[in-house]
Amino acid sequence: EDHCILQHSNRICVITLISDGCSLLKNKVSGKSKRGGQSLTEFAPLCRITCTDEQEYTVFSCIRGRLLEVNEAILNKPDLLLEKPSTEGYIVVILPKFEESKSVTEGLLTREQYEDVLTKRNQQEPYMSAGSRTVLDFTGVHFV
Amino acid sequence: MLSLKEKDRPIVRKLLCAGCCVRCVLRFCCVGTSSAYRRSYQDLHKELLAFISEENSPQSHDASGEEKSSDAPPNKRMRIDEDSVTAAQTDSDICPVCLGVLQDFCDPSFAEQVSDAVKKQQYEFDSLVLTVSLPAQLSVREHSCWLHVKKEVREKSMCLGKDDVIQVKDAFKWAVQGKIGQELGAAVVANSPCEVSISFIHPETEEDCHFLYVAVFLSVSQSVFTRMAVVKALEKISEEKFSRHYPCPPKKANTRCTALDTTCLHTSVFIAGRYNKFSRELPQTPWVIDGERRMDGSVEELIAAPLLSSFRADGFNFSSSGREDVDVRTLGNGRPFAVELLNPHRAKFNRTEIKQLQETINQSSDKIRVRDLQIVTRDATSRMKEGEEEKTKTYSALIWTQKAIESPDLEFLANIKDLRIAQKTPLRVLHRRPLAVRQRLVHSMTTIYLDKHHFTLKLCTQAGTYIKEFVHGDFGRTKPNLCDLMKTDADILELDVESVDIDWPPAIPD
């Protein structure tokens, strides 16, 4: 699945899905320094999405940092993931280490680069276009 | 003339023998007349000598000046002089009790030195408080001398309380404050915003207090002995134990105290007012990241700079009733603020001068404007906080909507009163604020239709409401938000603070 990372100038990152797919729930942060937030690596799985076609999709962290918040709204309304991926359907909020503020997004694609990748992908495998992905019926989302 | 009594004679004699200076002698005789300590050393010495030579004089005979002493039989006088008085005849012998503080340092020359140091720092004041700091060892020597005198006094079945003895600090102040006040053209009082501090140290005897620590606290836990600790230890230690460890009277020293540089401090002055911010590119406080300035100027610097220079202050602290973002204007009557000016060298300004300062600030930049500038008291800062947390604010926002709207679509907003919203800490401040949910009230709203995708929203909200997040929802973390209410994506393009509803500081009519 394609993940999208939105980063604010204050280095905070929000992980979302791009389009049409825990121990995390116990995450509790307190105080300005956000003590208690779990440390995540790029490969940490965040949540598993199950669909009516028995497919299971896993969303990964993609970046290293401290977990601040999981979006519990998607547990009740998984449709938000695809309907409003860039706003109410976000998955988690992560605070990278101060020293890694900039480097944490190195190796990720910019919007333009991603669009290039998409175009190439559509050319190679036209039958797996983005359109088909949006037909997903969620049965559930649970945080890993 | 000194009002010494018959009973004081043996004390005077004993102290002069021990090498005490004349002013310390006066202190242990409980002479409480401040003018006595201002008399010259020679003068006092002469009188004391005369006093002790009147051995067989009748009771409560006033120890007077030359006239009376010439009445006493000459040979008797001579005998007393040679026998009893051995030391402290001149300034070159350092008093073992005050270590010189009540000797040379009471001369007018030192008072002039202190006054010069103050004048150099160019403070403006009409009164001052003199504070004196003495080395802790002096308490030990004082205690030793008192025990020495007590023995003598007890034999004559009299009583000398430690509290009856005049303190070195007081005697010193009495001796010098007149001259200092005269030189500086100011009254030396007990309470004044301007403080002149004189400090003495005596490196030679710094170890004097060691034994106290060992004897009372059973250990030397620190290398610096605070005055408090020494005083406490002296209260605890028994007379007998003290005398075992420390000579009574105290041993003489080879050096006198050293005076450190005279320091001056003026208490902070508080200036309050209200400010408007007309620029969308001006932060309230300096914006610095990793030592680099991100944006030039700030509201606080624009306001404080002329104040700092007029009051000749060392620094400042700026506080205000809430803040606005860089890109938000503050209109209407403006936001209350208070500037604490630290150690101002000039503190007295009349109304006209303050008005003038306000003008200077307003002329310096068109990005801000200040009104109601006035000197206030220290409680200004708590009034600011009160305003920040309790009072309502009104705003005007330029809203963009994704869906096309017509004027009637906005009418329902005006009917919403006291809307309860829950705001999670906005993502844009989450890096420096704790994660929490804040309940807030949007008291009322009115709208002005602009076009299919724009309108102006005026709101009156509880203090501490994040307006931008109420409009766009902040990833759904503020609920309900304007997008929910209008059932469309929406964003805020511009925000202005219209009013901060607090009636402090009092308005100053033009």
Side-chain angles (χ1 to χ4, degrees):
Chain A
E1 292 313 308
D2 293 337
H3 300 50
C4 172
I5 291 101
L6 301 162
Q7 184 176 45
H8 190 281
S9 59
N10 67 15
R11 88 182 189 273
I12 287 190
C13 298
V14 180
I15 315 290
T16 74
L17 283 185
I18 287 185
S19 71
D20 44 330
C22 131
S23 81
L24 292 188
L25 276 179
K26 291 209 197 105
N27 195 75
K28 271 214 153 33
V29 286
S30 64
K32 261 198 210 174
S33 52
K34 321 293 185 295
R35 263 163 289 152
Q38 295 172 47
S39 291
L40 300 175
T41 65
E42 300 90 318
F43 309 105
L46 297 178
C47 69
R48 219 144 272 153
I49 306 163
T50 44
C51 305
T52 47
D53 62 354
E54 308 256 309
Q55 279 273 22
E56 238 191 34
Y57 301 96
T58 305
V59 178
F60 293 94
S61 173
C62 307
I63 56 170
R64 286 152 57 94
R66 199 191 282 247
L67 178 66
L68 295 187
E69 191 182 305
V70 302
N71 185 9
E72 303 200 8
I74 60 177
L75 295 179
N76 303 323
K77 276 182 80 183
D79 296 324
L80 285 172
L81 280 170
L82 286 185
E83 276 167 40
K84 296 204 171 164
S86 304
T87 55
E88 295 185 45
Y90 73 95
I91 301 172
V92 293
V93 178
I94 294 184
L95 177 71
K97 274 203 194 146
F98 186 78
E99 308 79 63
E100 294 176 7
S101 314
K102 303 253 162 74
S103 60
V104 83
T105 45
E106 274 166 22
L108 300 181
L109 304 174
T110 63
R111 187 169 204 93
E112 291 82 25
Q113 291 168 331
Y114 177 67
E115 311 233 303
D116 281 345
V117 168
L118 267 190
T119 340
K120 290 208 186 79
R121 200 191 284 166
N122 289 339
Q123 285 165 359
Q124 285 170 356
E125 294 162 338
Y127 53 91
M128 283 207 46
S129 69
S132 68
R133 269 184 232 248
T134 54
V135 184
L136 276 176
D137 251 331
F138 294 115
T139 53
V141 172
H142 71 270
F143 287 107
V144 173
Chain B
M1 297 302 120
L2 300 171
S3 53
L4 293 175
K5 309 274 188 289
E6 178 73 38
K7 63 174 172 70
D8 297 323
R9 200 164 281 132
I11 298 175
V12 174
R13 198 173 282 133
K14 200 160 191 188
L15 289 176
L16 287 177
C17 278
C20 281
C21 70
V22 296
R23 294 188 181 97
C24 281
V25 172
L26 294 186
R27 293 192 303 110
F28 279 91
C29 292
C30 309
V31 173
T33 335
S34 53
S35 54
Y37 297 86
R38 279 195 281 279
R39 292 170 56 186
S40 77
Y41 199 91
Q42 285 88 333
D43 217 30
L44 289 170
H45 195 237
K46 219 187 257 179
E47 191 166 325
L48 282 181
L49 285 183
F51 174 68
I52 56 175
S53 70
E54 291 172 25
E55 214 169 336
N56 299 315
S57 321
Q59 289 180 354
S60 29
H61 188 111
D62 259 30
S64 52
E66 276 99 32
E67 307 95 35
K68 287 243 173 93
S69 57
S70 57
D71 289 337
N75 36 354
K76 217 176 211 169
R77 201 183 347 138
M78 296 260 252
R79 181 164 39 96
I80 307 294
D81 278 354
E82 284 162 316
D83 287 347
S84 2
V85 180
T86 51
Q89 282 157 324
T90 60
D91 278 359
S92 55
D93 279 308
I94 301 161
C95 172
V97 180
C98 69
L99 294 177
V101 170
L102 293 178
Q103 292 177 276
D104 284 350
F105 291 110
C106 288
D107 284 349
S109 56
F110 182 68
E112 273 166 31
Q113 210 179 307
V114 168
S115 307
D116 283 342
V118 174
K119 280 187 207 164
K120 224 184 240 149
Q121 296 183 49
Q122 299 189 302
Y123 280 84
E124 264 182 39
F125 49 83
D126 44 24
S127 74
L128 63 102
V129 146
L130 202 60
T131 56
V132 179
S133 161
L134 300 170
Q137 310 83 290
L138 249 53
S139 307
V140 177
R141 287 170 171 263
E142 182 84 358
H143 191 85
S144 150
C145 192
W146 175 62
L147 288 181
H148 180 63
V149 171
K150 221 165 89 132
K151 238 192 310 174
E152 174 79 28
V153 154
R154 216 183 286 134
E155 280 160 24
K156 307 266 178 356
S157 59
M158 285 189 290
C159 172
L160 178 66
K162 204 171 185 195
D163 292 335
D164 299 327
V165 173
I166 309 294
Q167 297 220 4
V168 176
K169 242 184 225 193
D170 294 331
F172 177 75
K173 284 192 207 180
W174 288 337
V176 302
Q177 66 193 21
K179 181 75 182 166
I180 292 180
Q182 197 187 22
E183 285 287 312
L184 295 176
V188 181
V189 293
N191 257 318
S192 165
C194 191
E195 182 191 21
V196 173
S197 303
I198 303 174
S199 302
F200 292 101
I201 55 166
H202 198 252
E204 185 195 329
T205 57
E206 252 156 43
E207 307 284 285
D208 264 21
C209 307
H210 252 279
F211 78 94
L212 265 184
Y213 272 59
V214 179
V216 176
F217 302 121
L218 302 178
S219 69
V220 186
S221 56
Q222 52 198 95
S223 50
V224 179
F225 306 106
T226 63
R227 203 117 228 261
M228 263 291 98
V230 170
V231 169
K232 279 222 163 72
L234 288 172
E235 282 170 16
K236 279 195 168 143
I237 194 170
S238 71
E239 287 183 25
E240 179 258 346
K241 204 169 189 186
F242 183 93
S243 319
R244 256 193 289 138
H245 285 94
Y246 198 82
C248 301
K251 236 178 25 175
K252 289 221 169 169
N254 298 320
T255 56
R256 62 172 54 94
C257 282
T258 322
L260 297 176
D261 286 341
T262 309
T263 56
C264 302
L265 193 64
H266 198 292
T267 55
S268 295
V269 163
F270 291 82
I271 312 266
R274 301 179 83 107
Y275 73 82
N276 286 108
K277 178 159 101 80
F278 302 123
S279 161
R280 292 195 190 280
E281 288 168 5
L282 186 69
Q284 202 211 45
T285 52
W287 194 348
V288 180
I289 299 195
D290 294 337
E292 244 186 77
R293 194 48 108 99
R294 281 305 165 90
M295 207 174 253
D296 278 332
S298 64
V299 173
E300 91 173 16
E301 284 165 312
L302 286 173
I303 294 177
L307 298 178
L308 266 184
S309 77
S310 299
F311 282 76
R312 286 186 280 126
D314 290 347
F316 70 92
N317 286 326
F318 183 91
S319 64
S320 63
S321 206
R323 290 189 293 193
E324 61 283 307
D325 292 336
V326 172
D327 57 352
V328 174
R329 297 187 304 177
T330 306
L331 310 175
N333 265 347
R335 189 184 294 278
F337 69 88
V339 179
E340 178 186 2
L341 294 165
L342 304 169
N343 197 21
H345 285 52
R346 183 190 162 185
K348 279 220 151 57
F349 285 78
N350 61 37
R351 275 230 160 150
T352 328
E353 289 166 325
I354 299 285
K355 260 273 150 70
Q356 185 56 47
L357 267 177
Q358 184 174 291
E359 258 317 293
T360 309
I361 297 175
N362 289 337
Q363 300 286 351
S364 70
S365 164
D366 54 4
K367 294 183 181 176
I368 60 157
R369 202 210 134 161
V370 164
R371 74 179 74 211
D372 303 336
L373 198 65
Q374 56 198 272
I375 295 185
V376 294
T377 56
R378 189 170 272 273
D379 71 342
T381 15
S382 52
R383 298 302 298 262
M384 304 270 89
K385 290 307 135 197
E386 202 182 278
E388 184 164 340
E389 285 151 24
E390 294 166 23
K391 308 295 181 174
T392 59
K393 322 265 161 94
T394 60
Y395 301 88
S396 170
L398 177 58
I399 311 291
W400 165 86
T401 56
Q402 193 191 41
K403 80 174 184 200
I405 52 168
E406 296 300 327
S407 186
D409 296 326
L410 300 174
E411 277 164 24
F412 77 104
L413 288 172
N415 297 327
I416 301 176
K417 298 287 175 227
D418 292 334
L419 176 68
R420 226 177 266 279
I421 63 173
Q423 303 194 282
K424 280 193 195 168
T425 309
L427 290 179
R428 63 185 169 94
V429 298
L430 192 51
H431 63 297
R432 57 183 168 82
R433 287 271 155 83
L435 181 59
V437 180
R438 291 167 186 76
Q439 307 288 344
R440 287 290 182 267
L441 286 175
V442 177
H443 295 300
S444 62
M445 294 183 273
T446 56
T447 58
I448 302 172
Y449 181 82
L450 294 173
D451 63 42
K452 283 209 166 57
H453 291 280
H454 299 92
F455 70 98
T456 301
L457 176 69
K458 289 206 197 278
L459 338 76
C460 176
T461 70
Q462 185 182 356
T465 309
Y466 286 96
I467 306 299
K468 294 177 181 175
E469 277 68 19
F470 170 66
V471 171
H472 61 61
D474 190 35
F475 290 80
R477 298 165 77 258
T478 287
K479 279 221 175 278
N481 53 66
L482 195 66
C483 302
D484 293 336
L485 296 175
M486 296 196 59
K487 302 208 190 1
T488 170
D489 274 351
D491 207 348
I492 182 169
L493 300 180
E494 277 178 5
L495 180 62
D496 290 333
V497 178
E498 295 286 352
S499 74
V500 176
D501 306 321
I502 171 176
D503 55 11
W504 188 92
I508 307 264
D510 273 327

